[in-house]
Amino acid sequence: MKQLVRVFLTIILVSVVLLYITDRLNRSQGLSGGNTLTVYNWGDYIAPDIIDQFEKETGIKVIYETFDSNEAMMTKIEQGGTTYDVAVPSEYMIDKMIKEDLLIPLDHSKLPNLKNIDERFMDLPFDPDNIYSIPYFWGTVGIVYNPKMLDGMEITSWNDLWDRKLKNEILLIDGAREVIGMGLNSLHYSLNDTNLKHLQEAKAKLDTLTPNIKAIVGDENKLLLANQEAAIGITWSGDASEIMSENEDLDYVVPSEGSNLWFDNMVIPKTVKNIDGAHAFINFMLDAKVSAKNTEYVSYSTPNKAALEYMPKEMVNDERFYPSLALTDKLEVYENLGKRNLATYNELFLEFKMHRK
Ligand code: N2P
């Protein structure tokens, strides 16, 4: 009998130790579940007090991680080492993730606030019926610049950037689609071009921009531009809007040759541990007042129609950041060009970066 009790106690002890070790391991890998939620988002893309508010209201603890390109996010999710419950990719990457079976279908009955989203941003070609993704922010790619630092020079096109007067004045965002796209657009090619000759031509043209490039940067571009360390930044509209609120000399233009219109959406990757928490988070972000507060902080354009009435009029009425349909119709949305073509974009971008060194 005594021996039986000893065996029993040993089993309990070993189980407790094993449970403890698994829990520690999970925590160290950012694995969520139960009362935690791991959110993977772009840098500077949420108001910190919104996370606090969500934690207080739901009792769910948020582990928050950031990325600065779709490609970096995709690599991390494909590796599968970390449990992400919610991620925020852009449209072409969502298409790719759906095709690679990396996302789970959403339960719309758990997202009653979805009614707040403007119809214009629903049911888009990369995810018909929004089975896998819910709009978060949208915008354009363009040029933010400081005319005062450029003797009043006006910039209206991609090709203006090759002007010799702009030596060492340009900051580029660190994104393959954005930078190669800028080369393609400057040659009047499509942002979704897959013709290798055109892509090489775009890369060669970008190489000739090298003397004018000061740096290829992430979110620090905002500080550098606001502090007038550079006169020009190629960036996403919301970053431009944020910098412009800190330095009113700056202006933002969507180049005349054309540019990118993008949509960032919330998704639940297959790595999810806390499905209910993930839906609760997405629904929380869709609340009109939460979205208005988040939008005011982040400065990007919200697809949340109900949020607009809680936001400052001058923000909502600024055509540079809330362009009409007539304007956005002229822009191109990135398509998922397939593994091989995306790899070509990445390789050319890498070669372009090496060329600068
Ligand atoms: C960076 C947010 C960028 C969003 N702060 C562009 N998809």
Side-chain angles (χ1 to χ4, degrees):
M1 185 66 183
K2 257 190 186 164
Q3 201 162 355
L4 210 66
V5 171
R6 210 172 293 144
V7 170
F8 186 65
L9 285 176
T10 315
I11 291 175
I12 291 188
L13 189 71
V14 170
S15 313
V16 168
V17 170
L18 277 178
L19 269 174
Y20 176 77
I21 293 176
T22 323
D23 183 60
R24 296 308 303 176
L25 265 178
N26 284 355
R27 278 166 202 261
S28 69
Q29 289 168 22
L31 294 184
S32 44
N35 234 18
T36 61
L37 188 78
T38 309
V39 176
Y40 198 26
N41 198 357
W42 293 81
D44 287 352
Y45 218 30
I46 200 164
D49 53 338
I50 297 268
I51 302 179
D52 297 344
Q53 191 182 332
F54 174 78
E55 290 184 328
K56 257 188 222 129
E57 281 181 23
T58 60
I60 299 173
K61 163 107 190 65
V62 174
I63 301 166
Y64 193 76
E65 275 190 41
T66 61
F67 56 86
D68 53 22
S69 73
N70 278 297
E71 288 67 26
M73 182 255 356
M74 182 65 164
T75 310
K76 216 49 197 302
I77 292 205
E78 269 174 331
Q79 279 168 357
T82 312
T83 298
Y84 294 113
D85 295 298
V86 176
V88 191
S90 309
E91 66 302 299
Y92 70 99
M93 211 40 107
I94 292 173
D95 186 300
K96 189 167 177 343
M97 293 174 100
I98 296 172
K99 294 206 167 102
E100 293 183 18
D101 199 21
L102 289 172
L103 302 181
I104 65 153
L106 304 169
D107 182 347
H108 283 212
S109 73
K110 293 190 176 137
L111 305 172
N113 289 336
L114 193 51
K115 63 175 187 318
N116 292 339
I117 297 290
D118 189 337
E119 285 289 304
R120 176 182 169 193
F121 302 101
M122 296 290 290
D123 198 22
L124 294 176
F126 58 90
D127 181 20
D129 294 327
N130 294 83
I131 292 175
Y132 298 96
S133 67
I134 303 297
Y136 184 61
F137 281 118
W138 66 284
T140 55
V141 170
I143 305 170
V144 59
Y145 75 108
N146 188 333
K148 279 208 176 144
M149 289 174 72
L150 301 170
D151 299 327
M153 178 175 172
E154 202 194 348
I155 294 179
T156 57
S157 71
W158 290 122
N159 278 292
D160 286 342
L161 300 178
W162 272 260
D163 192 313
R164 278 161 180 263
K165 288 198 286 274
L166 303 181
K167 192 160 191 289
N168 213 22
E169 286 293 1
I170 303 176
L171 299 175
L172 294 183
I173 30 174
D174 197 2
R177 290 296 294 259
E178 286 77 6
V179 175
I180 300 293
M182 160 186 166
L184 286 167
N185 266 171
S186 76
L187 294 161
H188 300 278
Y189 293 140
S190 159
L191 287 178
N192 295 309
D193 205 323
T194 54
N195 178 322
L196 189 57
K197 263 209 171 121
H198 293 172
L199 288 167
Q200 282 166 340
E201 218 182 301
K203 192 271 183 186
K205 176 147 184 197
L206 286 168
D207 285 344
T208 66
L209 186 65
T210 300
N212 289 359
I213 298 171
K214 189 179 184 89
I216 301 179
V217 280
D219 284 320
E220 61 273 33
N221 70 348
K222 290 185 276 192
L223 199 66
L224 294 171
L225 287 157
N227 291 344
Q228 312 207 152
E229 305 263 351
I232 302 171
I234 311 309
T235 193
W236 297 290
S237 46
D239 279 6
S241 158
E242 190 185 332
I243 311 160
M244 285 159 66
S245 64
E246 274 155 48
N247 183 336
E248 51 188 37
D249 293 340
L250 292 157
D251 199 1
Y252 177 72
V253 63
V254 176
S256 54
E257 298 94 336
S259 189
N260 168 233
L261 171 69
W262 53 262
F263 307 96
D264 288 346
N265 282 236
M266 296 178 274
V267 298
I268 303 187
K270 274 259 162 97
T271 54
V272 65
K273 266 275 169 68
N274 188 350
I275 296 195
D276 280 344
H279 281 89
F281 182 82
I282 294 175
N283 194 50
F284 176 81
M285 295 312 292
L286 292 173
D287 175 83
K289 283 190 182 154
V290 169
S291 169
K293 196 159 139 196
N294 196 31
T295 306
E296 266 196 71
Y297 177 90
V298 175
S299 287
Y300 274 84
S301 314
T302 180
N304 193 314
K305 208 174 176 176
L308 299 180
E309 69 177 276
Y310 298 106
M311 289 167 50
K313 290 282 157 294
E314 63 277 13
M315 203 168 182
V316 177
N317 294 333
D318 192 334
E319 269 257 310
R320 290 170 302 186
F321 303 114
Y322 284 87
S324 62
L325 265 180
L327 285 172
T328 52
D329 271 357
K330 292 191 196 126
L331 303 175
E332 278 184 291
V333 179
Y334 297 137
E335 286 161 20
N336 170 20
L337 305 175
K339 239 192 180 115
R340 279 239 321 259
N341 290 317
L342 288 181
T344 308
Y345 271 70
N346 287 342
E347 274 157 31
L348 289 171
F349 182 48
L350 214 64
E351 279 172 32
F352 162 69
K353 289 209 243 185
M354 304 287 275
H355 175 91
R356 294 187 56 243
K357 299 218 164 109

